Amino acid sequence: MFGTDGRAFHRPLAISVAGLLLAGVGLAVLALVLAVAHRETGQAPAYILVAIALTGVAVMVLRGTRWVIRVIIVVLAGQLAAIAGTAWELSHGIDARKASQLRQLGFDPTAGVVINLIYSSIGFALFCWFATRWLAARRRRHASSRAAMIAAEAADGTSVRAFDEGHGPAVLILHGGIDDGSSWRRVAVRLAPRFRVLRLHRRQYRPDLKTGSACTMAEEVDHVTALVRAIGQPMVIVGHSSGAVVALEALVATPTAFSGAVLYEPPCVIGPPLGGVALARAQAAIAAGKSGTALAIFLREIVRAPAWAALLSKLVVALSPRIRRMARHQIDDCAAIDQLGNRLDTYAEITVSIVLLGGDRSPAHLGERLDALEGVLPNTERVVLQGQGHAANALAPGRVADVIAGFAARVLRP
């Protein structure tokens, strides 16, 4: 969850900011000890409150609490004014009252002000680090907006579309639900300097191809096969969520087309149906024109997302015509997975190298499905993204891109 404004506030920066805050806790504790030692206990409660507050903020920064991160960014930027004020104080003389308070604590006033200057300088340096990453992310987003489109034709004559960017060995990305590939844009931008990245707009989520009947998994695989044929070279296939189930089916259908795969939490059937009774209720809601209710059922009872996320989805559906239209596609997607049934025995025949990717904050059942795949696939590597859930492609694109790039560099070697 380390992300805001282009996901520039990444984990190393969060750890550094938390470290600075905890250094402030150390200074507050030191001041408290000195105050007690010099019997200046009147300020002790203030030092205690500062230490508690800074510790709490440090914890929230490490947990990725977004509003806290936004406030911290503003505070870090404001350290430039603190630097200027402290420098002026050193050159024009320290305020007499402040100097007296420092002496009462046993501090040399000049040394105390210099410590403040160093602390503020580190804080502003961290802001500059964030700003540099934010500007770089803006440039990457601008570059990704110019991604070309590649078209092909499936066996049944339907059109196949994919974003096409970068140069080098090919990486094919199959997005998850309620998407058109855009949620993987930041990952693609990071891969594009080394790889040709293709983000397929999956057939299941193509409103121009939906004619009233639900898209089957076989039809989705036909689109993957058509694109692979058009590219004409071995590639790594990356699948996210339901897109990872499509990737598994594509690996079964055309095993020689792929040098390897990265599967990010595929919700494949490993026992009872994925949707079951909940899916039937969601389908009934779609038929009744209640897209918000259908999506809430899907998120809460099938994905097993928190209750607040399911409730929020109703508001999102009400406000976003795009999400409202795609809710039906998501329910159809779940139905297509259930129609496949348990395919673990078939997947056991896949021999290419596979990375099974997951997050330690994802719903538990997704980890159980990865466990089941790991138990049958003959050539797997398990990677767990610490502090991430089912949407690390959007929240930690750099970390996801690093996993894909490292794996692709190994299996796509000439």
Side-chain angles (χ1 to χ4, degrees), residues 196-252:
R196 182 182 183 183
V197 186
L198 302 143
R199 289 179 283 141
L200 178 68
H201 187 175
R202 286 173 51 198
R203 180 169 181 165
Q204 187 72 262
Y205 293 89
R206 290 273 301 277
D208 58 312
L209 298 181
K210 297 284 260 192
T211 58
S213 59
C215 174
T216 66
M217 193 63 68
E219 289 172 328
E220 289 231 73
V221 171
D222 283 345
H223 271 220
V224 174
T225 302
L227 184 60
V228 169
R229 188 168 55 246
I231 299 303
Q233 67 182 94
M235 60 182 67
V236 164
I237 187 168
V238 178
H240 177 214
S241 194
S242 59
V245 179
V246 179
L248 281 165
E249 292 297 314
L251 287 165
V252 170

Side-chain angles (χ1 to χ4, degrees), residues 136-181:
R138 293 263 300 181
R139 288 193 293 270
R140 287 193 295 267
R141 285 198 299 272
H142 180 69
S144 70
S145 68
R146 299 195 300 268
M149 293 293 294
I150 186 172
E153 184 175 302
D156 62 359
T158 56
S159 65
V160 179
R161 293 202 304 247
F163 295 101
D164 184 5
E165 54 202 308
H167 302 279
V171 174
L172 170 61
I173 296 175
L174 307 182
H175 63 81
I178 310 187
D179 193 18
D180 60 1

Side-chain angles (χ1 to χ4, degrees), residues 19-78:
L20 182 65
L21 292 167
L22 293 177
V25 172
L27 291 173
V29 171
L30 176 61
L32 173 63
V33 171
L34 292 173
V36 172
H38 290 80
R39 298 181 181 179
E40 298 291 337
T41 56
Q43 299 181 53
Y47 297 137
I48 294 172
L49 288 174
V50 168
I52 293 173
L54 290 178
T55 301
V57 173
V59 170
M60 286 189 282
V61 166
L62 289 174
R63 290 180 63 85
T65 306
R66 294 187 181 184
W67 71 267
V68 172
I69 290 173
R70 293 189 176 101
V71 171
I72 283 294
I73 290 168
V74 174
V75 171
L76 292 177

Side-chain angles (χ1 to χ4, degrees), residues 300-320:
R300 184 64 182 134
E301 301 184 37
I302 299 176
V303 177
R304 302 177 203 174
W308 65 264
L311 290 173
L312 183 61
S313 69
K314 288 190 174 184
L315 177 61
V316 172
V317 167
L319 296 176
S320 171

